[in-house]
């Protein structure tokens, strides 16, 4: 499918009530994509436990949704209480939607969300062999360094400005409308 799949979906922020859709996406990842996402082998139990803690981690999740299913996601998670202004970003794209520009789009949304929340440093850990994620990070001027066998990318977002805050707010409103329409489509049978 590759590049053809990208045009079929919509990217938007997920609401906490939709985190089960994010979990379902993570469960659909093939073994290699799971390993690239989590930096280790991740079985179904690990993913279910991880998804159950998303609210506690104060994550913001952007998703690429196709026909009601999350096919790619980017997560921005603040780092610890003593690390104000820092966050970690993580990405996952189902195999048939890889190499279509979705990851680049989602990273742009993550960088903007970090900027609008005064997060001045976003870390992206990836395995040294994950060349796709490294290429995406370089598009946003990430500084890539090898640490303990992994590549750590650091992106320093610029400061928030009126346009970036306004754009996120408008996209959130549009995303809410899309979520309501999707909910209606899934739970109200066609006449």
């Amino acid at each position: 499918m590759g590049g053809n799949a990208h045009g079929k979906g919509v990217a938007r922020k997920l609401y906490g009530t939709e985190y089960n859709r994010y979990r379902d996406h993570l469960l659909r990842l093939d073994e290699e994509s799971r390993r690239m996402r989590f930096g280790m082998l991740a079985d179904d139990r690990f993913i279910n436990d991880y998804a159950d803690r998303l609210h506690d981690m104060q994550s913001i999740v952007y998703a690429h949704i196709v026909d009601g299913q999350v096919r790619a996601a980017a997560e921005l998670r603040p780092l610890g209480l003593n690390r104000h202004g820092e966050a970690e970003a993580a990405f996952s794209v189902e195999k048939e939607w890889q190499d279509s520009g979705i990851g680049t789009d989602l990273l742009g949304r993550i960088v903007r969300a970090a900027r609008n929340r005064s997060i001045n440093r976003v870390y992206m850990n990836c395995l040294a062999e994950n060349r796709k994620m490294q290429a995406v990070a370089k598009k946003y001027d990430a500084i890539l360094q090898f640490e303990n066998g992994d590549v750590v990318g650091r992106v320093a977002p610029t400061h928030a400005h009126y346009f970036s805050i306004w754009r996120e707010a408008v996209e959130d409103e549009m995303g809410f409308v899309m979520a309501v329409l999707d909910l209606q489509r899934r739970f109200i049978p066609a006449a």
Side-chain angles (χ1 to χ4, degrees):
M1 264 172 123
N4 295 332
H6 179 60
K8 294 169 63 175
V10 61
R12 67 173 176 82
K13 194 181 295 177
L14 288 181
Y15 293 92
T17 56
E18 298 179 292
Y19 282 173
N20 61 322
R21 297 168 84 184
Y22 179 43
R23 179 205 59 225
D24 294 346
H25 155 69
L26 293 172
L27 289 168
R28 280 193 302 275
L29 294 174
D30 63 280
E31 186 176 307
E32 181 66 8
S33 297
R34 285 184 184 194
R35 193 171 72 79
M36 292 297 178
R37 164 57 181 86
F38 292 102
M40 61 182 198
L41 295 176
D43 62 13
D44 289 357
R45 187 168 141 196
F46 175 87
I47 290 173
N48 281 311
D49 290 344
Y50 181 84
D52 287 343
R53 294 190 323 268
L54 281 172
H55 288 288
D56 297 336
M57 294 186 287
Q58 300 177 3
S59 294
I60 296 171
V61 179
Y62 283 92
H64 185 84
I65 301 170
V66 179
D67 296 330
Q69 293 189 319
V70 173
R71 296 302 184 171
E75 180 183 341
L76 180 69
R77 182 172 46 91
L79 291 175
L81 297 174
N82 297 328
R83 298 181 73 171
H84 180 70
E86 296 183 329
E88 179 180 23
F91 301 84
S92 52
V93 181
E94 293 177 30
K95 195 163 201 73
E96 54 274 10
W97 278 267
Q98 293 176 5
D99 301 318
S100 63
I102 294 170
T104 301
D105 175 60
L106 291 174
L107 179 55
R109 292 168 189 271
I110 288 293
V111 169
R112 186 184 62 224
R115 175 189 312 129
N116 290 346
R117 287 157 183 78
S118 300
I119 294 171
N120 55 29
R121 186 159 297 197
V122 177
Y123 295 92
M124 298 174 291
N125 262 352
C126 70
L127 299 174
E129 69 220 51
N130 193 345
R131 302 281 186 226
K132 290 178 185 180
M133 191 63 234
Q134 293 168 35
V136 170
K138 286 180 182 177
K139 291 179 183 180
Y140 288 90
D141 299 322
I143 299 167
L144 303 177
Q145 296 175 325
F146 284 91
E147 293 181 8
N148 301 322
D150 294 335
V151 174
V152 177
R154 290 178 181 85
V155 176
T158 59
H159 295 288
H161 50 79
Y162 175 77
F163 183 70
S164 70
I165 294 169
W166 174 81
R167 185 168 179 188
E168 184 177 354
V170 168
E171 285 180 6
D172 285 354
E173 286 181 28
M174 298 284 291
F176 179 76
V177 170
M178 297 300 289
V180 169
L181 292 174
D182 185 49
L183 186 66
Q184 181 181 7
R185 182 186 59 80
R186 288 187 295 140
F187 291 107
I188 298 177

